[in-house]
């Protein structure tokens, strides 16, 4: 696999592929299709995928310390058991915001589950970030936006990156010792015509990668927010990348067909597939959520 040569590894034709995460305990890449209500698993050794139906829009999936998974459904955070195909409700963070859904998430180095919500109509500034650990889920106090993406953590866990997708801004926030958030500064702004910043991911060198929805690319920024590299794709909507493989040196990217008309779909037959490429750098080992 040549560096910066993305190619399709799993044809799923996702309407809105999102949330890729490498799960080391079963050597597989997990991701979701939000709009199709599907959870997907890709085995790179066998080159095959498996899918499960979810009972609603599913924004993300992450491993938990009990060997199962947490998933963010529109109705709340659920525990997912792949063996049974079952979803059990754990927590409802936004019963007062029925127009919201969950959109992206990650596990912090301390095992806390961080996730964001968004207005499903993509209009109101009703998207918030939450921190969930043990049996306690709190709203972090970060400013509300229409579409949240991320968050993602620096290698030491002291910096939180989070995205205002419609505002085309990626923010950097200090994380305090007790897990609360501190000072926030602008990390990067995506220029007009380059698409919208989607899910962020941090590599082993502390650099941030972001998918560009409508931008035909993923980008890598250094810890100071300077653009280092852009990798072009044969499809327009790249949502997020995850580092996987035994050495965490393969980048997997989810993509989406959402918003593409018939002409665009004809020109982009691979839209919605899972892609892989050599990023030239390793990723960070994953964490499991303690919820």
């Amino acid at each position: 696999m040549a560096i910066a040569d993305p190619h399709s590894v799993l044809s799923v034709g996702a309407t809105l592929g999102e949330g890729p995460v490498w799960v080391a305990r079963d050597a597989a890449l997990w991701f979701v299709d939000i709009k199709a209500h599907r959870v997907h698993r890709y085995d790179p050794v066998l080159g095959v995928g498996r899918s499960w139906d979810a009972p609603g829009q599913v924004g993300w999936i992450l491993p938990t310390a009990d060997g199962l998974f947490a998933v963010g459904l529109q109705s709340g955070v659920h525990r997912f058991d792949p063996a049974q195909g079952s979803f059990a409700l754990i927590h409802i963070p936004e019963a007062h915001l029925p127009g919201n859904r969950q959109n992206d998430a990650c596990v912090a180095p301390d095992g806390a589950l961080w996730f964001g919500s968004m207005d499903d109509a993509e209009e109101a500034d009703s998207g918030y970030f939450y921190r969930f650990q043990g049996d306690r889920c709190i709203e972090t106090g970060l400013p509300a936006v229409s579409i949240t993406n991320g968050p993602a953590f620096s290698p030491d866990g002291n910096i939180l990156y989070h995205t205002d997708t419609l505002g085309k801004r990626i923010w950097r926030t200090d994380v305090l010792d007790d897990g609360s958030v501190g000072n926030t500064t602008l990390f990067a702004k995506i220029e007009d015509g380059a698409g919208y910043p989607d899910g962020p991911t941090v590599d082993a060198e502390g650099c941030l990668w972001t998918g560009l929805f409508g931008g035909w690319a993923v980008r890598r920024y250094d810890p100071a927010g300077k653009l280092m590299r852009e990798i072009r794709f044969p499809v327009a909507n790249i949502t997020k990348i995850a580092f996987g493989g035994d050495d965490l040196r393969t980048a997997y990217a989810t993509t989406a067909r959402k918003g593409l008309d018939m002409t665009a779909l004809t020109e982009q037959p691979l839209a919605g597939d899972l892609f892989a490429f050599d990023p030239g750098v390793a990723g960070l080992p994953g964490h499991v959520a303690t919820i």
Side-chain angles (χ1 to χ4, degrees), residues 46-133:
L46 298 178
V48 298
R50 184 182 174 189
S51 302
W52 292 259
D53 291 324
Q57 295 191 89
V58 54
W60 49 265
I61 178 168
L62 289 165
T64 50
D66 60 1
L68 300 178
F69 292 86
V71 296
L73 293 173
Q74 186 164 11
S75 55
V77 180
H78 287 64
R79 193 167 313 277
F80 170 57
D81 182 349
Q84 304 297 322
S86 61
F87 296 81
L89 181 64
I90 300 172
H91 179 71
I92 302 174
E94 294 183 333
H96 60 298
L97 294 171
N100 269 16
R101 66 168 175 82
Q102 295 183 49
N103 195 50
D104 198 7
C106 75
V107 180
D110 66 357
L113 172 63
W114 291 68
F115 64 92
S117 64
M118 63 170 280
D119 175 26
D120 195 37
E122 303 180 10
E123 295 174 353
D125 287 342
S126 61
Y128 297 89
F129 283 103
Y130 296 84
R131 181 177 184 269
F132 192 2
Q133 190 167 32

Side-chain angles (χ1 to χ4, degrees), residues 2-16:
I3 292 179
D5 183 22
H7 62 283
S8 172
V9 293
L10 186 65
S11 179
V12 290
T15 303
L16 186 53

